[in-house]
Amino acid sequence: MTFGITLGLGTLGGRFIQFLMPDVAEKKFSEILLGRVDDFKGSSAKFVDVAGKQVALLETDQGFSAFSRKCTDLGCLISWDDSKDQFICPCHQGVFDRNGKNIAGPPPRPLDRFEVVKKGENIYIKVEVA
Amino acid sequence: METTAAEIKEKSFREKLIDVIQEEVPDHLNSFAYCLGATPLILFLILAVSGVLLTFYYIPFPGQAYGSVKAITEEIYLGWFIRGVHRAAVNLMVATLLLHIVRVFITRAYRDGGEMKWLLGAALFFTVLAFGFTGYSLVYDNVSYWGMTVVTDMIGQIPVVGKSLFLLLRGGEDITELTLLRLYDLHTKILPLVILVLIGAHIVAIRTIGFAKVDGNGGTHPFYPEHALKMTAIAIMLLIVIVNMAAIFPPVIGDPANPLEVASDVSPPWYFSAIYRWIIIAPREAGLFSVFAFFIVFTIYPYIDRGFADRGANMLRINLAIGILVAVFFALMTIWEALV
Amino acid sequence: MQEEKNDTNPAESPEHIKRSSDSYDELKAGMASAAAAFGRFRESVARGMRILFADEEKGDFNLMKYFIGLLSLILFFALTMVGYVSVKESKMEVKPVIMEASEQCIDCHVRKGISAGAVRDWKMSAHAAKGIGCNECHIPAKGAPERIVAMPTACEDPNVRREVSSRNCKQCHSDKVAEFMKGKHSKAWLAMEAMPTTKDQPDAIMAGEKGCGACHKIGRDEGQCDSCHTRHRFSAAEARRPEACGTCHMGFDHPQWEMYSTSKHGMIYQTEKNDYDFSRKIGDWYKEPFEASSKTPRAPVCVTCHMQDGGHDVSTAWGFLALRLPEEDEEWMGYRVRILQGLGVLDANGKPTERLGAVKAAQMARLTREEWEAERRKMLNVCSQCHGETWAREELEKIDGLIKEADRLMAEAVDIVEGLYRDGILPRPADYPAGVDLLRFYEVQSGIEQTLYVMFLEHRMRTFQGGFHSNPDYLHWYGWAEMKRDLVEIREEARRLREEHKGG
C-alpha cells in the first residue's frame, strides 16, 4: 500500500511540479531592425529598447557593436558618459570602455554583446524572441 | 474507557494524540451514505492544492486575467490539467456537499443537541457557494463578468445590509479592476481562512457532540486505522475520477468579457442554475425574497424541527417529504436552465 | 486438464477428426476453469465491496491496504496518460516586436480607430517580427516620387504619408525592386496613360484608381508592391497563389483567371490547393532530389510560369498585344503591318509613328528577335520542368500558328473599316491618326468601329490567351468563333453603309 500511495501521489506531485516549471524551450533568435547606418553615426552610444532588452549601440572601428545595458556586476542599467567616452554604472560605479571591456569597479567581465547584422544600409541585431 | 483528570494530565502528548485518532466511530459510518461528509473535505484539499498552483500563473487584473487563464488552459504545460482538476473538484464538491446536506436532513442528524453541527454546516455551505461564485468570476470571460454583475446586484437587494455589501464587493458602484481584486482576495485569502476555521469547528463539534444515533447494531470501530484507511481509499478514488474527468473533458475558455454586450448564452455554473432560473420566472421582489427566506429557514431549521417535534409531529416523514420536494424542485430548475 | 476418451476407435477414425475432438475437450476444460476463476474473482470483488460499504463486517484491513495500493496504481497510470493528452495549443505564430516609434503610431491609430485593420495585419507580418514598423515605410525615403512627397497628411508627424513608394521597399528589398522594374508590371501605369482616350474618361476610373487605374496602379510611383502581397501583412505565400493575380488578370480583355481556373492545370489547382504549401520559395518546388509530397503544387500556378524562380521581372514572348518584330513570315508580316496601322503604331506608308516609342517604353511588345527568343526559351524551361521540351515547343508553336490565323481575320477587318474611312463613308475626326485607331477602344462613334475594337480587344485576345492558358473553350468559342462572327458582321455592315452612302 505504501508503495502504491507513494507512486500514485508521487506522480501527482510530479505533475504539479511540471506545471510550475516555466517553459525554457530553445529560444529562437530573430533579427530586429534598429535603423539605418545614418541614424547611428557619431561617437556616442545610442540606447534602444529591443523586444524588452535594453541595448547600447556604438560605432567602433570594427563596425557597430551592440552591448547589453545590464551591468555585469549586479544588473543595473549602465549609462554613457560622453566626456569620458565610457559606460558608467550608477549602482557601484563600474566603468566600461567603448569596447565593452570592464576597466574599473566591481564588474567581473566585459559587457554582454548582441550580434549585429548589417544588410546594405540597415542595421539589425539578433535578440531572443519568445 | 474512563480516565480521571489526573490520568489525563499524566499522559504524554503522543499518547493523547493516539487517543484522539483512535476515537471510536459508530459502525454506520461504514456505509457510503454516511461518508459524504469526508468527501467534501478531501475535495477541499484537492481544490486548495490545485488552487495554490493556479495562483502561480493567474494575474488578477482585468486586462490580463483572461489572457492568463487562456495561457493556463492552452499554453502552459499541464496548465489545462491543473485547471481541469480544479474545475472537476469544484463540481464534485458541490454535488457531494448537496448529497451530504440531504442525507443529514433526511436522517435528522442535527437532533439531540446537534444544532451546532448544523449551524456550522450551514455556514460552510454558504462559504462554499461564495467560493464557487468568486472563483468563477476570476476567469473574467463573458459569463464571469455578467455573473459578477448579476450576483452583486442580487446581494444589493438584501434589505438593510444589501447596499453596503454591494459596495463592499464591488469596490464602488461599478465593476472595475477593484472588483476583480476583491473577489480574488476573497477567493484566495479570506474565504480559505474562514473555511479552515469552519471546517475545524465542524469537526470539533462532531467530535465533542458525537454522532447522532442510527438504528443498527450500535457497534463502533476505531477511527484509525480503519476509518482512516477507508477515507484514504475514497480520496484516491476521487483523485482517479477527477484526473480522468480532467483528461476526458478538458477545460475550455469562452469569449473574453465584453462589458458592452451581454452574450445570449450567459448562464451561471450548474449549482447556481436553480436559483438563477427561479429568480427569472418569479416576479422580481417575490423571487429574491423567497430565496433569502429559504436560506434563513434552512439555517435555523434544527430549531424549527425541535419546535414541531415537541408537538408530536413525525419529523422523519416530514423531512423526507421536504427533502424530496426540494431536491426535485432543484433538479427541475437546474434542468430547465440547462435546456434554455 | 482432463482428457475425455472419445468413443471412436483411434485407429479407425481419420486424423483430423481425432484432433478436433481433443481440442474441443481442451476448450471445454479451459472454459470451465476460466468460469471458475471468474467466479472467484467476482466473489472477491463482492466481498471487497461489502467490506467497503456495508454496515456489518468489521473488515479485513489488509485487504483494504491492498485495495488502496491498487487504486494508487490506477491513479499512477491515469496520471501517466495525462502526459499524452494533447490540448489545442494556440501559440501565436508571429510575435510582433513593437519598437518605440511604432508604439506612438499604434497608440493613436488604435485609440482613434483609424485604419485599425492596418495595425492588425501588420502585427501578423514578418515585418513586425523584425521590428520593422510604421516609419520605415510611411516616411518617404530619399528620392521618393514627387507625387507622394507632395501629398498632404493628417498625421501629427508631418513626415508621414499615407501612400508608400517602392523606394522605401528598396531599402531592404533592393533586388526584388530592381527585378520588378525590369518587368512589365512596372510599366503598367505608363501604358495606361499612353492610351489616347485615357484623358477623356472620368478621373475616378483612371487616376482615381477605381477602374483601369485600380489594376494599372501596380506600376504607379515606381511600383506598388502591395498589389500582390497585400498590405499590411505582405505575405509572400499569398502572392504565390493564383488568386493574387486574379483581381486584375480576369475579365473582358484578359480573362486569364477564368481561363486558367477551368483549364486542366487550373482544375488540378482547384481540387488540391488546400494541400499545397505556398510558404516555400518557387525555386525550391521542383528541386532535385525531389521528395514526393502533396504539399508541392502538382500543376503550374501563375507564378510557376510567369515568375520562374521568384523573379519579379514579369514578361512574356508575345506580350499583351500578340505582336512581335521582326517577322520572317512575309505573309504574316503583311497582316501584322495592317494591325500595327490599325493601332496607329505605323502610318499609312508603314513608317513608325511616335506611338512606337510608347510601345517600347511600356514594353508592350518584343521588338527584337533576341528578346522574343529569350522569353520563349524561359517559357520552354518552365514547361520542361514537368513536360518534355519537344512536346512543349510543338504545343506552343501550334498557338503561334493560330495567332497568324487570327491576325489574318483581324487584318481583313481593319482593312474593311479603313476602306470606309478612305472612301469618306465614315467621318474621320481631326485628332484621328492615319487610319483606324484600335487604341481608342470604345471611344468610337459607329457600330462597326465598336465591333472592330471588340474583335481586337476581346476576341483576338481570347484566341491566343486561351491557347497559352490551355483553355480550349475560350480559345475557340469565345475567341476564334467570335472573331469569325465579328468579321461577318463587319462585312455586312460595311456593305450596308456603302449602299446607304450610294443611295443617300
Side-chain angles (χ1 to χ4, degrees), chain C residues 144-149 151 163-167 180-181 186 189 209 216-225:
Chain C
E146 189 50 41
R147 185 184 82 94
I148 290 186
V149 175
M151 276 184 160
E163 287 195 37
V164 178
S165 104
S166 66
R167 275 271 159 167
F180 179 82
M181 297 310 275
S186 61
W189 192 256
E209 295 181 3
H216 280 260
K217 73 197 252 288
I218 190 176
R220 197 173 197 181
D221 298 322
E222 304 183 322
Q224 305 215 329
C225 307

Side-chain angles (χ1 to χ4, degrees), chain C residues 418-455:
Chain C
E418 181 54 51
L420 292 174
Y421 275 123
R422 213 181 27 238
D423 300 339
I425 298 173
L426 280 179
R428 186 201 298 273
D431 53 349
Y432 257 49
V436 159
D437 188 357
L438 290 166
L439 291 184
R440 288 184 69 84
F441 302 145
Y442 43 78
E443 279 295 351
V444 287
Q445 294 126 334
S446 57
I448 196 174
E449 288 169 285
Q450 291 278 358
T451 311
L452 186 70
Y453 123 75
V454 167
M455 181 180 179

Side-chain angles (χ1 to χ4, degrees), chain C residues 259-270:
Chain C
M259 295 188 291
Y260 168 77
S261 294
T262 47
S263 72
K264 203 37 88 180
H265 289 159
M267 294 309 277
I268 295 176
Y269 171 74
Q270 297 291 351

Side-chain angles (χ1 to χ4, degrees), chain C residues 6-253:
Chain C
N6 43 2
D7 295 320
T8 55
N9 188 342
E12 284 171 14
S13 58
E15 277 291 305
H16 67 273
I17 292 180
K18 178 160 59 158
R19 258 195 304 231
S20 73
S21 63
D22 273 344
S23 45
Y24 177 65
D25 296 333
E26 284 176 24
L27 184 65
K28 277 211 304 195
M31 282 181 68
S33 57
F38 184 67
R40 282 196 297 276
F41 174 71
R42 263 183 51 192
E43 267 176 42
S44 59
V45 167
R47 186 157 156 258
M49 297 296 281
R50 272 204 304 276
I51 289 173
L52 199 56
F53 298 125
D55 285 335
E56 289 108 34
E57 284 189 39
K58 273 292 165 77
D60 171 12
F61 69 74
N62 265 331
L63 182 69
M64 184 59 87
K65 282 188 177 172
Y66 283 126
F67 188 59
I68 290 178
L70 175 70
L71 285 178
S72 307
L73 276 173
I74 297 177
L75 179 64
F76 169 71
F77 285 121
L79 285 167
T80 315
M81 294 311 293
V82 161
Y84 291 104
V85 172
S86 62
V87 177
K88 175 184 79 101
E89 291 208 335
S90 71
K91 290 214 175 42
M92 241 185 55
E93 313 94 40
V94 163
K95 202 101 187 267
V97 172
I98 303 177
M99 306 293 272
E100 202 188 313
S102 304
E103 282 267 7
Q104 297 173 353
C105 314
I106 292 174
D107 262 342
C108 185
H109 273 260
V110 170
R111 218 173 355 106
K112 292 192 186 168
I114 304 173
S115 52
V119 177
R120 287 195 299 264
D121 286 357
W122 172 80
K123 284 187 177 171
M124 289 198 280
S125 69
H127 286 160
K130 292 189 156 213
I132 295 161
C134 318
N135 289 344
E136 279 77 19
C137 304
H138 283 278
I139 295 185
K142 215 161 49 177
E146 189 50 41
R147 185 184 82 94
I148 290 186
V149 175
M151 276 184 160
T153 177
C155 180
E156 279 167 14
D157 180 345
N159 296 318
V160 167
R161 296 286 175 274
R162 184 199 280 163
E163 287 195 37
V164 178
S165 104
S166 66
R167 275 271 159 167
N168 286 73
C169 313
K170 197 148 96 162
Q171 292 174 320
C172 301
H173 301 283
S174 52
D175 52 344
K176 297 287 183 284
V177 174
E179 278 172 15
F180 179 82
M181 297 310 275
K182 284 204 293 227
K184 287 175 60 180
H185 279 162
S186 61
K187 310 292 178 284
W189 192 256
L190 194 65
M192 183 186 87
E193 306 237 284
M195 294 299 113
T197 51
T198 296
K199 60 185 186 332
D200 300 323
Q201 310 311 322
D203 202 48
I205 295 180
M206 303 294 174
E209 295 181 3
K210 284 293 168 199
C212 308
C215 292
H216 280 260
K217 73 197 252 288
I218 190 176
R220 197 173 197 181
D221 298 322
E222 304 183 322
Q224 305 215 329
C225 307
D226 65 332
S227 304
C228 304
H229 14 62
T230 54
R231 58 185 195 264
H232 286 69
R233 192 164 175 192
F234 301 111
S235 155
E238 172 194 353
R240 294 187 187 104
R241 290 176 177 267
E243 286 87 349
C245 317
T247 309
C248 299
H249 288 272
M250 52 77 75
F252 177 72
D253 51 344

